[in-house]
Amino acid sequence: MPKNKITDEEALAFHLEPSPGKWEINATVPMTTQRDLSLAYSPGVAVPCEAIAENPETAYDYTNKGNLVAVISNGTAVLGLGNLGALGSKPVMEGKSVLFKRFADVNSIDIELDTEDPDKFIEAVKLMGPTFGGINLEDIKAPECFIIEQRLKEEMDIPVFHDDQHGTAVICAAGLINALHLSGKKIEDVKIVLNGAGAAGIACIELLKSMGARHENCIACDTKGVIYQGRTEGMNQWKSAHAVSTDLRTLEEAMRGADVFLGVSVKGAVTQDMVASMADNPVIFAMANPDPEITPEEAHEVRVDAIVATGRSDYPNQVNNVLGFPYLFRGALDIHARAINDEMKIACAHALAALAREDVPDEVALAYGKSLTFGRDYIIPTPFDPRLIHRIPPAVARAGMDTGAARRPIVDMDAYEVGLKSRMDPTASILRGLNARARSAQSRMIFAEGDDPRALRAAVMYQRSGFGKSLVVGRQEDVRVKLEAAGLGDAVRELEIINAANTPHFEMYKDFLYSRLQRKGFDRKDIHRLVGRDRHVFSSLMLAHGHGDGLVTGATRKSAHVLDRINHVFDADADHGVAGVTALLHKGRIVLIGDTLVHEWPDENHLANIAERAAVVARHMGLEPRVAFVSFSTFGYPVSERAEKMHVAPTVLDKRGVDFEYEGEMTVDVALNERAQRYYPFQRLTGPANILIVPARHSASISVKLMQEMGGATVIGPILSGIDKPIQICSTTSTTNDILNMAVLAACNIG
């Protein structure tokens, strides 16, 4: 699979648009009236202030403390970049905050402290303690990170967790549990070699020892070689704690007969000879980033029995911290924990290991484009497994309660797990699944509008994201100039640029189009002009002849014009059952609206067709369809001739015997609000509708644009459904990312 390529320009644009940085703050309470203001601030705010002053524990009830984590760094060890300083670390810390929210619904604020003095750092963090429910330390160099974390743990009454140490350790432990299970070995018996005695390495070996690994069986190495008793060069108190009595002096010597290798060091530190010298069924966790100590391919060349993990997402068994820290803090925050102790970390590791041994849900396999089953290439769950949010935090919370770390134990654990399931935004996993399916499909995507900078950037992103090959319709020189202006001049050599002047298929395209249009008033000259000058027609002909796998267009012309041109090549009209379906993503909900593109004023039979097309799109997106035919009336009242077809359309589906839920006619609030549905106990929907079939294209357009502009909904579509080739039509207001999303949908053949 092609490796993702990210240019400097793309990375900077990602952080600049749509607004600088990666997160913002939104109010959770209304602030629209004078009464709201009086309750949120003076005088109403005095009441919770006094309550908290009298009983500090109520801060978890009346403020956001209980779901707020500080991500704090001084920038002395930023990724693999070294000491960039506090300000230079801010993009990383913002990113960590986003991960907290995305994976575990934990609110997080990044704080960068401009000091390398451990005492000043410690004092600053301590003084902020009342604000937060937990502290996540990040990118602080060793050995200061050990000093800072230890003192803060001792002096603060909320969890303090240095993720560079313990996050890696927890995921490493989870993978090792399963690797030893597969190799039939016990942790108390195996010989473990660690290379890299920094923050992460020492945390890994300490956690494994607390899980049963024997001190004398664990050999730690650094750039000076084996850390042995009596060594003085390059030592400190944290390394000394793991010194062993041994005659071994080099990593090469230590690796002979070793069962487990843990690497948090540098690329190439491990040779094939070292791997060959290890014990049977060796476990190799080469976790150096961005390149491992030895690649899985190199290791397997000499040891087919090896179980290999790395820190990279493009190899199996990724040791990824995002599997740990969001869920550790979620569980800790939910019991108002005083600390995250070893027992909670071990519980997290065992829960992750257990999850990897279970059957993988179809949605995960679909998202990753391959079957995932427990074995040598799958010993650690994938970061986007939807079960993580409701499986890992409860295990952490139970361990916290059992060890006395909880201020407020969870009474009903079953209810807690149900609540965790409802916390997460389902739209993120659906979009992730579509991206993974697109990567698996490797479609050749035709971008029809090679003269538009947005389309060109989307084409570059599509190819560099590993989705497949981008075919750009345009003139070579024009494309080059526009890409250079966008800071992507090097991409000209990567893209395949096609137009009528350089295609060998021009005459074939003309003959095909003439056979379709000769009885519709088009002569040979008209056909020549259409094929040679109209990019929408030309791109459609490419697709029709299999010279591309999908088509994205519409960014430069109105959708009605584009659809008319596509109809010259394909039967993309209402009479052939084609419909336009738009997906609205808003506050964790997905609602599809149809028809937003093809049918101007559909009758009841067309409405039934649209419902069936929308149901197909919904299932492609991982949704079980619940269709509502919406109007200004509900089940016959008020009576109106305009609402009649919405009333009749469900009876058309009754006769067709379709296999999805549908109901109508009804107002939008009844369709989307489960409480409102209870007033109509006879209605057939088992929950809020996720597909709204509207009376006409104008009402669909108004609904979508109103939600987009006033509600802030993310709009994907219209998705053209019902054509035998994947074509997606963007809007003229589409951003580069919108166009890329449409290309992903086309690659997945959603319609």
Side-chain angles (χ1 to χ4, degrees), residues 698-721:
H698 62 266
S699 51
S701 176
I702 292 168
S703 301
V704 168
K705 294 185 186 302
L706 187 63
M707 279 298 297
Q708 186 175 26
E709 294 302 319
M710 294 290 291
T714 297
V715 174
I716 298 178
I719 300 163
L720 198 57
S721 177

Side-chain angles (χ1 to χ4, degrees), residues 538-664:
F538 182 82
S539 300
S540 298
L541 287 163
M542 284 179 62
L543 183 64
H545 287 82
H547 300 145
D549 302 313
L551 169 62
V552 178
T553 187
T556 60
R557 298 297 298 269
K558 296 292 186 183
S559 58
H561 172 85
V562 174
L563 188 61
D564 176 69
R565 293 298 186 266
I566 291 171
N567 259 305
H568 288 336
V569 180
F570 294 95
D571 296 321
D573 54 28
D575 291 338
H576 289 89
V578 177
V581 181
T582 295
L584 293 176
L585 284 62
H586 185 59
K587 293 185 177 179
R589 296 180 70 174
I590 299 180
V591 175
L592 307 183
I593 295 183
D595 181 342
T596 54
L597 184 64
V598 179
H599 297 74
E600 180 69 32
W601 182 251
D603 62 21
E604 57 269 25
N605 291 301
H606 288 142
L607 289 166
N609 291 341
I610 296 167
E612 291 195 68
R613 296 311 323 163
V616 169
V617 172
R619 283 181 168 145
H620 271 298
M621 297 181 77
L623 302 171
E624 191 53 41
R626 287 193 296 272
V627 174
F629 292 89
V630 293
S631 180
F632 61 87
S633 62
T634 300
F635 301 119
Y637 185 82
V639 176
S640 168
E641 181 182 345
R642 290 263 170 175
E644 179 63 20
K645 64 178 182 178
M646 309 307 292
H647 182 76
V648 175
T651 65
V652 176
L653 290 181
D654 290 341
K655 294 173 184 175
R656 294 183 183 179
V658 296
D659 63 345
F660 54 84
E661 294 181 24
Y662 57 91
E663 188 56 282

Side-chain angles (χ1 to χ4, degrees), residues 9-30:
E9 292 83 3
E10 286 177 289
L12 292 173
F14 183 88
H15 287 79
L16 177 64
E17 301 168 352
S19 58
K22 293 196 280 284
W23 60 267
E24 64 182 10
I25 293 176
N26 290 307
T28 59
V29 294

Side-chain angles (χ1 to χ4, degrees), residues 417-710:
E417 292 184 23
V418 171
L420 288 170
K421 290 179 183 179
S422 66
R423 289 193 84 112
M424 298 313 299
D425 180 351
T427 61
S429 59
I430 287 174
L431 291 175
R432 172 70 185 185
L434 292 173
N435 285 343
R437 286 166 58 188
R439 285 194 182 91
S440 178
Q442 289 295 297
S443 294
R444 297 166 298 159
M445 191 57 53
I446 304 166
F447 291 84
E449 294 155 314
D451 62 338
D452 185 86
R454 295 167 298 163
L456 287 174
R457 288 198 299 270
V460 173
M461 290 168 64
Y462 179 87
Q463 187 157 305
R464 288 182 174 177
S465 296
F467 293 127
K469 180 70 177 172
S470 292
L471 311 177
V472 174
V473 176
R475 293 190 299 273
Q476 181 85 23
E477 182 61 18
D478 189 34
V479 170
R480 183 188 65 78
V481 169
K482 285 185 167 63
L483 283 174
E484 286 179 350
L488 295 169
D490 59 331
V492 176
R493 296 186 301 274
E494 301 171 26
L495 300 176
E496 186 173 343
I497 303 167
I498 303 167
N499 60 29
N502 65 13
T503 180
H505 309 299
F506 190 74
E507 293 302 323
M508 180 172 62
Y509 289 171
K510 287 201 308 182
D511 290 344
F512 175 86
L513 194 61
Y514 185 64
S515 69
R516 280 184 59 85
L517 301 182
Q518 60 189 342
R519 293 183 179 274
K520 295 181 180 180
F522 291 82
D523 61 24
R524 287 278 186 182
K525 290 182 179 179
D526 297 326
I527 298 300
H528 185 89
R529 281 193 294 270
L530 278 174
V531 178
R533 298 180 187 176
D534 192 301
R535 73 198 70 183
H536 307 295
V537 172
F538 182 82
S539 300
S540 298
L541 287 163
M542 284 179 62
L543 183 64
H545 287 82
H547 300 145
D549 302 313
L551 169 62
V552 178
T553 187
T556 60
R557 298 297 298 269
K558 296 292 186 183
S559 58
H561 172 85
V562 174
L563 188 61
D564 176 69
R565 293 298 186 266
I566 291 171
N567 259 305
H568 288 336
V569 180
F570 294 95
D571 296 321
D573 54 28
D575 291 338
H576 289 89
V578 177
V581 181
T582 295
L584 293 176
L585 284 62
H586 185 59
K587 293 185 177 179
R589 296 180 70 174
I590 299 180
V591 175
L592 307 183
I593 295 183
D595 181 342
T596 54
L597 184 64
V598 179
H599 297 74
E600 180 69 32
W601 182 251
D603 62 21
E604 57 269 25
N605 291 301
H606 288 142
L607 289 166
N609 291 341
I610 296 167
E612 291 195 68
R613 296 311 323 163
V616 169
V617 172
R619 283 181 168 145
H620 271 298
M621 297 181 77
L623 302 171
E624 191 53 41
R626 287 193 296 272
V627 174
F629 292 89
V630 293
S631 180
F632 61 87
S633 62
T634 300
F635 301 119
Y637 185 82
V639 176
S640 168
E641 181 182 345
R642 290 263 170 175
E644 179 63 20
K645 64 178 182 178
M646 309 307 292
H647 182 76
V648 175
T651 65
V652 176
L653 290 181
D654 290 341
K655 294 173 184 175
R656 294 183 183 179
V658 296
D659 63 345
F660 54 84
E661 294 181 24
Y662 57 91
E663 188 56 282
E665 89 284 15
M666 61 177 70
T667 55
V668 170
D669 58 325
V670 176
L672 297 179
N673 190 316
E674 201 163 9
R675 288 194 302 274
Q677 289 177 351
R678 292 178 194 146
Y679 290 103
Y680 306 93
F682 55 85
Q683 67 92 26
R684 295 174 288 189
L685 298 183
T686 60
N690 51 26
I691 298 173
L692 304 181
I693 306 302
V694 298
R697 199 170 80 201
H698 62 266
S699 51
S701 176
I702 292 168
S703 301
V704 168
K705 294 185 186 302
L706 187 63
M707 279 298 297
Q708 186 175 26
E709 294 302 319
M710 294 290 291

Side-chain angles (χ1 to χ4, degrees), residues 95-166:
K96 197 65 175 270
S97 293
V98 172
L99 294 179
F100 265 115
K101 188 65 177 177
R102 162 63 183 89
F103 287 97
D105 195 27
V106 172
N107 294 325
S108 174
I109 292 177
D110 64 288
I111 297 172
E112 293 73 37
L113 298 178
D114 192 11
T115 179
E116 295 188 20
D117 184 329
D119 291 328
K120 289 182 179 179
F121 190 102
I122 291 164
E123 186 64 17
V125 176
K126 278 177 56 183
L127 292 173
M128 291 186 289
T131 304
F132 301 102
I135 303 292
N136 184 100
L137 301 175
E138 195 81 16
D139 288 359
I140 304 167
K141 69 183 177 71
E144 287 89 340
C145 62
F146 302 119
I147 300 167
I148 289 169
E149 187 194 41
Q150 186 57 41
R151 278 191 46 197
L152 288 174
K153 280 183 173 181
E154 293 169 356
E155 298 177 26
M156 298 186 76
D157 64 349
I158 56 175
V160 177
F161 184 84
H162 184 208
D163 188 49
D164 298 308
Q165 294 181 56
H166 309 297

